[in-house]
Amino acid sequence: MLPLSGRRNSQWDRSPSSARTPLRHGRAHSHLRMGARCSRAQHPIFALQSQRASDAHLPAADAWRSTEPDSRMRLRTACCKCFRFQSTSAICDFIFLSLIWCFWTAMLPVVVVHGGAGHIPKERAELATIGVKEAARTGYVILEKGGSAMDAVVEAVAVMENNPRFNAGRGSVLNVKGEVEMDAMVMDGRNLASGAVSAVRRIANPVYLARLVMEKTKHLCLTAEGASKFARSMGVPEVLEESLITDYAKMRWKKNLEPDANPVECQMGKMGTVGAVAVDKDGNIACATSTGGMINKMEGRVGDTPCVGCGGYADNNIGAVSPTGHGEAIMKVTLSRLILFHMEQGKTAEEASDLALTYMKERVDGLGGVVVVDPKGTWTARFSSLQMVWAAAQQGELHYGVYRDENVVEPVQENI
Amino acid sequence: MLPLSGRRNSQWDRSPSSARTPLRHGRAHSHLRMGARCSRAQHPIFALQSQRASDAHLPAADAWRSTEPDSRMRLRTACCKCFRFQSTSAICDFIFLSLIWCFWTAMLPVVVVHGGAGHIPKERAELATIGVKEAARTGYVILEKGGSAMDAVVEAVAVMENNPRFNAGRGSVLNVKGEVEMDAMVMDGRNLASGAVSAVRRIANPVYLARLVMEKTKHLCLTAEGASKFARSMGVPEVLEESLITDYAKMRWKKNLEPDANPVECQMGKMGTVGAVAVDKDGNIACATSTGGMINKMEGRVGDTPCVGCGGYADNNIGAVSPTGHGEAIMKVTLSRLILFHMEQGKTAEEASDLALTYMKERVDGLGGVVVVDPKGTWTARFSSLQMVWAAAQQGELHYGVYRDENVVEPVQENI
């Protein structure tokens, strides 16, 4: 598969320092540049990483942690040898591991959010940008205070659900009957635990309910009236449906019911699904996604969002993805899991996203976008649609954009 | 990842002729054994296969078909050269391509079905075996008459839905309220089209409704009351809930509500999800899965079945999977897509199934089973649970089994 023509070099999709990319393979030794470096393929730690990561879904850090002490000693010694620096003392061992840990965690924590992909009128894009910045800042503050990735993504998504500019929670698009039916999911990369709700009504924050499904039931997904009953049993307040419906959503619904409505234009102007991915200071990864779905959808339509592997996926060993776009196309190619499979095969988050988005476009004619993180904190926001509203917070900086090549950077503090 | 200990060689999982396995890489030239064969890796057709299959999700046949005429000529000439047989005449070209086609399609059509994995009492296993044989035979008759893979899997699953011995359609397990809520999905490997229903009630054959969602709507999944309304609009008759509930299901429901019910024993004795995968004479692939879910599940619980990539996946370029077992675990690892990803990386259907089932057991402590086909008609039925009821029909033979190492073979005709 080829990347989207002209996109790889033109679209912003990475945290600012280009030095981050080589860390994928070169980070463990970047603190020892005074010595001649052994070839990456030959070096024992990379051989170990490569073998263990591909065989057992383990990235380098886990490969190192899960290695037996004897093997660690041999590896360390081998590494030292290749830098013409021989020592087996406990102090050197400590320093060596500490340096690896410091470089490993330098880019953590990180949170990346999106507020939907599609064709967004300029005035709405500006308001949505303010919204995603607020969401990313909310998640980042939680992470900086030592909160978990799960806390960060859930709160970031809840901020967007509460913002009527987004198609999730308040502001959701209406189904063909003029009602609000929402989907949401969360996934915890530590143990692949997940929770989701589909076609749920009269809930202000479906993402909270999805988290409760994960934490309080033995199931992964509850739907429709069953989900509402569970919400009641958990004391989640039911809200009036009118409180979720905005004038804009009503206007679009009515317009799209007109006999001469254009089915293509029908989906324009809506903000898509909202979502977030994050890695916390402990290296734990999580994702969350929430949506009101497709404008004028059939009653009971379930999109990609509550479907594990389609509307999101998180695995501490690989990374996390939250997508947005044409839900049915995303489901057909299991977009989130597809991106992570490419990353398991050695692609960067950016390359994997481009491969998967290109495949989705070519195979099922679907457009969309994704935010992605890997365990090291490398992140990307890629889209094959015209626009995607996104924001990311890392190392005290807030990045955001809507259009191709757009990456505005400012200190996170400005927004606090 | 390692295969399940002791399973790879002990469990039956492939059509009888061991000669089938090498076809993965050696088939295109197996008719020309009179000459010295070039090395597989060096041979141009395999280089082409390898490059195209990995780059663009294309198997060898598609790679050959999609190759430009000039390249085909060069390839054919190169193949002829390496067999010390030079000719560029149209007749040789025709014979060469015909032989490839003959060998390619020799194992088609094929259908493989399962009637659930788990711990099944002997008397129920025997009745279920009769059921899966009937389902496989039904699918095979359709395929032999030139029917599509989609027709075959849908009708095979419908046979099991109508059989009260299976946990799908009539015979579904009951939720905690003593009601029947069913999930089903179908997927067409030609274009990745899919249809699903979740938590649907009072429908005799949810698999038919899932197919209607695929064919008659722009959506992939409808849930609960929305799915029922769609069924009514399509003229699908609503049945009395009592007609779907068997005495056995009622007995298990009541037993599991008792205060001293054992949650592990609770799931025993149920027959799991039913499913089917098939490749038709044209090489098209499809899958279908249907289930009543988990015994005494919460109202509105949705399992893996209607979730694309979890409860099934079909892609003409890779193969098809229908799983059964612990739905929540299947979702966490996106079992169906995971198996097909392994197959894309060059694993056989059997190896890929073992890798994925082992991963599911180790990572999320989940047991289950799968039936899998690839585009050449190679099939497998693998399980990490104690038992799985399965049957397969290919080349006039019917295979079936329940326990490890069991593979009974008889002519399909005996059953017609």
Side-chain angles (χ1 to χ4, degrees):
Chain A
M1 286 191 297
L2 297 170
L4 287 178
S5 171
R7 289 186 62 239
R8 181 172 290 196
N9 296 322
S10 62
Q11 186 181 324
W12 180 265
D13 18 56
R14 182 169 297 283
S15 39
S17 165
S18 62
R20 283 167 190 160
T21 308
L23 290 176
R24 167 164 283 272
H25 293 295
R27 134 183 283 164
H29 291 278
S30 54
H31 60 290
L32 292 168
R33 289 183 191 279
M34 67 288 185
R37 295 184 62 185
C38 58
S39 118
R40 194 182 73 199
Q42 291 168 335
H43 199 287
I45 198 165
F46 292 115
L48 178 84
Q49 168 185 352
S50 167
Q51 178 225 320
R52 295 187 68 95
S54 64
D55 286 0
H57 299 261
L58 289 172
D62 277 347
W64 175 261
R65 282 182 224 128
S66 62
T67 307
E68 292 302 312
D70 281 0
S71 308
R72 285 192 193 186
M73 180 60 78
R74 282 198 300 277
L75 278 169
R76 193 190 51 71
T77 310
C79 292
C80 292
K81 268 184 189 167
C82 84
F83 286 98
R84 304 185 191 98
F85 176 71
Q86 298 242 13
S87 169
T88 55
S89 75
I91 294 168
C92 286
D93 211 28
F94 174 77
I95 293 169
F96 183 82
L97 288 174
S98 299
L99 285 169
I100 286 182
W101 181 248
C102 287
F103 276 89
W104 187 263
T105 57
M107 285 161 70
L108 306 182
V110 59
V111 59
V112 197
V113 308
H114 66 75
H119 186 173
I120 310 154
K122 200 179 173 208
E123 66 279 12
R124 288 189 69 79
E126 282 167 6
L127 292 166
T129 302
I130 296 169
V132 289
K133 284 166 66 178
E134 189 193 347
R137 181 190 63 79
T138 302
Y140 191 68
V141 168
I142 291 168
L143 293 171
E144 274 295 311
K145 287 180 179 169
S148 71
M150 179 55 70
D151 287 340
V153 294
V154 166
E155 292 305 324
V157 165
V159 163
M160 291 185 280
E161 284 178 338
N162 294 335
N163 186 331
R165 303 297 171 189
F166 297 106
N167 173 21
R170 188 169 171 240
S172 288
V173 300
L174 309 184
N175 70 13
V176 72
K177 285 182 70 184
E179 301 161 337
V180 172
E181 290 182 305
M182 299 164 290
D183 303 335
M185 74 94 75
V186 298
M187 189 159 186
D188 189 330
R190 289 177 301 178
N191 53 4
L192 307 186
S194 177
V197 288
S198 64
V200 71
R201 296 165 183 244
R202 295 180 294 280
I203 300 288
N205 294 106
V207 74
Y208 288 153
L209 192 57
R211 185 174 186 173
L212 283 171
V213 170
M214 178 180 75
E215 293 176 347
K216 304 292 182 187
T217 79
K218 59 187 175 183
H219 301 316
L220 254 65
C221 183
L222 295 178
T223 191
E225 189 52 28
S228 297
K229 286 183 180 171
F230 170 67
R232 273 173 233 136
S233 74
M234 289 284 112
V236 175
E238 210 163 82
V239 299
L240 288 173
E241 187 161 27
E242 290 70 41
S243 70
L244 302 174
I245 301 176
T246 60
D247 290 342
Y248 184 76
K250 254 188 212 164
M251 180 273 288
R252 305 248 14 130
W253 170 67
K254 279 184 187 161
K255 197 169 177 184
N256 293 321
L257 283 180
E258 288 168 8
D260 58 345
N262 179 339
V264 176
E265 202 245 357
C266 171
Q267 298 298 322
M268 279 169 61
K270 84 173 175 86
M271 300 301 306
T273 302
V274 304
V277 293
V279 193
D280 61 28
K281 286 179 173 175
D282 295 329
N284 291 318
I285 299 178
C287 72
T289 312
S290 181
T291 189
M294 209 171 172
I295 289 180
N296 292 40
K297 63 188 180 182
M298 289 174 71
E299 194 183 346
R301 177 261 190 183
V302 178
D304 61 298
T305 299
C307 184
V308 179
C310 303
Y313 201 83
D315 184 341
N316 269 15
N317 296 331
I318 321 167
V321 179
S322 176
T324 172
H326 184 207
E328 277 67 12
I330 289 170
M331 293 164 93
K332 286 177 183 176
V333 301
T334 62
L335 184 65
S336 299
R337 193 65 185 95
L338 179 61
I339 288 171
L340 294 176
F341 276 114
H342 284 309
M343 287 167 67
E344 279 183 297
Q345 299 302 316
K347 302 290 183 196
T348 64
E350 178 189 322
E351 290 166 348
S353 302
D354 283 351
L355 279 168
L357 287 168
T358 307
Y359 177 65
M360 185 168 87
K361 191 170 186 295
E362 290 176 351
R363 186 77 195 267
V364 297
D365 197 23
L367 299 178
V370 290
V371 291
V372 186
V373 286
D374 75 11
K376 302 189 294 269
T378 311
W379 61 271
T380 194
R382 302 289 284 179
F383 49 98
S384 54
S385 50
L386 279 176
Q387 293 138 274
M388 181 175 82
V389 193
W390 63 269
Q394 186 180 48
Q395 295 179 315
E397 287 181 336
L398 186 74
H399 304 253
Y400 58 91
V402 180
Y403 306 97
R404 298 273 167 87
D405 306 323
E406 189 179 24
N407 174 44
V408 186
V409 189
E410 60 189 45
V412 175
Q413 284 76 0
E414 273 185 21
N415 292 275
I416 295 177
Chain B
M1 288 190 296
L2 297 168
L4 287 179
S5 170
R7 289 185 61 240
R8 179 173 291 194
N9 297 321
S10 61
Q11 184 181 327
W12 180 267
D13 17 55
R14 181 170 296 284
S15 38
S17 165
S18 61
R20 283 165 192 164
T21 309
L23 288 176
R24 168 166 281 274
H25 293 294
R27 139 181 280 164
H29 291 279
S30 54
H31 60 289
L32 292 167
R33 290 183 189 278
M34 67 289 185
R37 295 182 64 186
C38 57
S39 123
R40 195 180 73 199
Q42 292 168 334
H43 199 287
I45 199 166
F46 292 116
L48 178 83
Q49 169 183 351
S50 169
Q51 177 225 321
R52 296 187 69 95
S54 64
D55 286 359
H57 299 260
L58 288 171
D62 277 347
W64 174 261
R65 282 183 225 127
S66 62
T67 307
E68 293 302 312
D70 280 0
S71 307
R72 286 192 191 187
M73 179 59 79
R74 283 199 301 276
L75 278 168
R76 192 191 52 71
T77 309
C79 293
C80 292
K81 267 183 189 169
C82 82
F83 286 97
R84 304 182 188 97
F85 177 71
Q86 298 241 16
S87 169
T88 53
S89 74
I91 292 168
C92 286
D93 212 28
F94 174 77
I95 292 169
F96 184 81
L97 289 174
S98 300
L99 285 169
I100 287 181
W101 182 248
C102 287
F103 277 89
W104 188 260
T105 56
M107 285 160 70
L108 306 183
V110 58
V111 59
V112 196
V113 307
H114 67 74
H119 187 173
I120 309 154
K122 200 178 174 211
E123 65 279 14
R124 288 190 68 79
E126 283 167 5
L127 293 167
T129 302
I130 296 169
V132 288
K133 284 166 66 178
E134 188 193 348
R137 180 189 63 80
T138 302
Y140 191 67
V141 168
I142 290 168
L143 293 171
E144 274 294 311
K145 286 179 180 170
S148 70
M150 180 56 70
D151 287 341
V153 294
V154 166
E155 292 305 324
V157 165
V159 162
M160 291 185 280
E161 285 178 337
N162 294 336
N163 186 331
R165 304 295 171 190
F166 297 105
N167 173 21
R170 188 169 171 238
S172 288
V173 299
L174 309 185
N175 70 13
V176 73
K177 286 181 69 184
E179 301 161 339
V180 172
E181 290 183 305
M182 299 166 290
D183 302 335
M185 73 96 74
V186 298
M187 188 159 187
D188 189 329
R190 289 177 300 178
N191 53 4
L192 307 186
S194 176
V197 288
S198 64
V200 71
R201 296 165 184 245
R202 295 180 293 281
I203 300 288
N205 294 107
V207 75
Y208 289 153
L209 192 56
R211 185 173 186 174
L212 283 171
V213 170
M214 178 181 77
E215 292 176 346
K216 305 291 183 188
T217 80
K218 59 187 176 184
H219 302 316
L220 253 66
C221 182
L222 295 178
T223 191
E225 188 53 28
S228 297
K229 286 183 180 170
F230 170 67
R232 273 173 235 137
S233 74
M234 287 284 113
V236 176
E238 212 164 81
V239 299
L240 288 173
E241 188 161 27
E242 290 71 41
S243 69
L244 302 174
I245 301 177
T246 60
D247 290 342
Y248 184 76
K250 255 189 211 164
M251 181 272 288
R252 304 247 16 130
W253 171 67
K254 281 185 185 161
K255 199 169 175 183
N256 293 321
L257 282 181
E258 288 168 8
D260 58 345
N262 179 339
V264 176
E265 202 245 357
C266 169
Q267 297 299 322
M268 280 168 59
K270 85 173 176 84
M271 299 301 307
T273 302
V274 304
V277 291
V279 193
D280 61 29
K281 286 180 174 175
D282 295 329
N284 291 318
I285 298 179
C287 72
T289 312
S290 181
T291 187
M294 210 170 171
I295 289 180
N296 292 40
K297 63 187 179 183
M298 289 172 72
E299 195 183 345
R301 176 262 190 182
V302 178
D304 61 297
T305 299
C307 183
V308 179
C310 302
Y313 202 83
D315 184 339
N316 269 15
N317 295 331
I318 321 167
V321 179
S322 176
T324 172
H326 184 206
E328 275 69 11
I330 290 169
M331 292 165 93
K332 286 176 183 176
V333 301
T334 61
L335 184 65
S336 299
R337 194 65 185 94
L338 181 60
I339 289 171
L340 294 176
F341 276 114
H342 284 308
M343 288 167 66
E344 281 183 295
Q345 298 302 317
K347 302 289 183 195
T348 64
E350 178 188 322
E351 290 165 347
S353 303
D354 283 351
L355 279 168
L357 287 168
T358 306
Y359 177 66
M360 185 167 85
K361 191 169 186 297
E362 290 175 351
R363 186 78 195 266
V364 296
D365 196 25
L367 299 177
V370 289
V371 290
V372 186
V373 286
D374 75 10
K376 301 189 293 270
T378 311
W379 61 270
T380 192
R382 302 290 284 177
F383 49 98
S384 54
S385 50
L386 280 175
Q387 293 139 273
M388 182 175 83
V389 193
W390 63 269
Q394 185 179 49
Q395 294 179 317
E397 286 181 336
L398 186 74
H399 304 253
Y400 58 92
V402 179
Y403 307 96
R404 298 273 166 86
D405 306 323
E406 188 179 26
N407 175 43
V408 186
V409 189
E410 59 189 45
V412 175
Q413 284 77 359
E414 274 185 20
N415 291 276
I416 296 177

